[in-house]
């Protein structure tokens, strides 16, 4: 589902000051996958160089593997490397996100940036139930968590006209062809919008 600019603004306003705000920022303003965002730690942010590093994600251990062990009744997660080699990347830290991070006391800048009351990571299911669904219901939106990341790509390609290679790199796609395929409609709309651009620009000279 495509998130409009207006809806994106409303989402960021709705989550402002709430515990899950950072996850919305990481997905909408930085293009992280949900498990990359949930596994993001303070050591992966450089507040001086204004960059964030994506080099790990949280992976749930299935009930099938946990059955019969001491983890059977827990929501157990482990850190793993990102989805592909290109998923390990640096992304520019956006000013609103930096401002939000700076509100955290220096002594508390350790471990997961988004964490539970016990200081441990938050599961995907927990995030959706307690932080994502309440927000989209309050705004009467029908969205999935992945739509937040898709907004990042759509905005850069369709509104800001960021070049495809850069968007692909920031999103951690394994190949620019994945970006082309994922945002085919956005790119097609851009082509139609600019198909006569060079002719119109040079028309006075040609005449």
């Amino acid at each position: 589902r495509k998130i409009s600019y207006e809806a994106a603004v409303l989402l960021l306003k709705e989550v402002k000051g709430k515990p899950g705000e950072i996850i919305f920022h990481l997905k909408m303003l930085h293009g992280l996958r949900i498990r990359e965002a949930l596994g993001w730690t303070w050591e992966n942010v450089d507040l001086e160089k204004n960059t964030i590093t994506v080099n790990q994600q949280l992976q749930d251990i299935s009930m099938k593997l946990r059955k019969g062990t001491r983890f059977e009744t827990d929501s157990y997660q482990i850190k793993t490397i990102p989805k592909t080699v290109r998923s390990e990347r640096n992304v520019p830290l956006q000013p609103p996100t930096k401002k939000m991070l700076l509100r955290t006391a220096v002594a508390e800048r350790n471990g997961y940036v988004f964490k539970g009351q016990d200081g441990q990571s938050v599961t995907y299911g927990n995030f959706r139930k307690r932080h994502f669904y309440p927000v989209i219901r309050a705004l009467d939106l029908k969205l999935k968590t992945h739509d937040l990341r898709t907004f990042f790509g759509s905005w850069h390609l369709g509104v800001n006209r960021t070049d495809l290679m850069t968007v692909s790199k920031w999103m951690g796609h394994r190949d620019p062809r994945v970006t082309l395929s994922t945002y085919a409609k956005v790119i097609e709309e851009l082509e139609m919008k600019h198909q006569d651009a060079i002719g119109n620009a040079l028309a006075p000279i040609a005449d």
Side-chain angles (χ1 to χ4, degrees):
R1 298 175 181 82
K2 187 176 181 179
I3 300 178
S4 66
Y5 172 81
E6 293 75 15
V9 171
L10 288 175
L11 277 168
L12 292 177
K13 285 185 177 179
E14 181 68 23
V15 298
K16 189 173 180 62
K18 296 181 179 179
E21 181 181 11
I22 184 60
I23 302 299
F24 282 80
H25 272 241
L26 291 175
K27 291 184 66 61
M28 296 176 68
L29 305 185
H30 302 83
L32 271 65
R33 299 177 178 89
I34 182 60
R35 298 188 188 284
E36 294 171 341
L38 292 172
W40 195 56
T41 60
W42 278 101
E43 65 182 14
N44 289 324
V45 56
D46 192 324
L47 295 172
E48 293 185 1
K49 294 182 178 179
N50 295 319
T51 60
I52 70 172
T53 299
V54 182
N55 58 16
Q56 66 184 25
Q57 63 178 1
L58 287 180
Q59 189 67 44
D60 292 338
I61 301 298
S62 70
M63 175 60 74
K64 183 178 180 180
L65 293 176
R66 289 186 281 124
K67 191 172 182 179
T69 73
R70 63 189 179 91
F71 303 113
E72 185 172 357
T73 59
D74 298 331
S75 296
Y76 196 69
Q77 299 184 109
I78 59 171
K79 291 181 184 178
T80 65
I81 59 175
K83 190 174 181 180
T84 67
V85 174
R86 282 175 57 89
S87 293
E88 296 190 39
R89 61 202 187 274
N90 291 322
V91 182
L93 175 62
Q94 297 304 302
T97 310
K98 179 179 181 178
K99 184 177 180 180
M100 177 178 57
L101 292 172
L102 286 172
R103 294 201 298 263
T104 301
V106 176
E108 297 176 7
R109 297 176 190 175
N110 55 77
Y112 295 105
V113 177
F114 177 62
K115 50 194 171 186
Q117 295 182 345
D118 59 358
Q120 298 302 309
S121 61
V122 175
T123 65
Y124 176 41
N126 188 301
F127 169 75
R128 284 191 303 174
K129 180 180 179 181
R130 299 188 179 184
H131 306 280
F132 181 70
Y133 288 143
V135 169
I136 62 171
R137 285 169 183 158
L139 297 175
D140 195 27
L141 296 173
K142 295 181 179 179
L143 300 172
K144 296 180 179 179
T145 56
H146 185 69
D147 296 326
L148 305 180
R149 169 174 153 89
T150 302
F151 169 78
F152 175 86
S154 297
W155 187 88
H156 270 290
L157 291 170
V159 180
N160 199 55
R161 300 178 192 173
T162 309
D163 70 273
L164 182 71
M165 292 298 292
T166 298
V167 175
S168 182
K169 176 183 176 183
W170 286 345
M171 298 195 75
H173 286 153
R174 68 176 183 273
D175 188 290
R177 286 174 295 183
V178 175
T179 315
L180 273 171
S181 175
T182 304
Y183 297 97
K185 187 174 181 179
V186 174
I187 294 171
E188 182 181 352
E189 291 173 352
L190 278 175
E191 289 176 348
M192 293 178 65
K193 183 177 181 180
H194 300 293
Q195 62 185 0
D196 301 323
I198 190 168
N200 292 333
L202 299 178
I205 299 176
D207 292 342

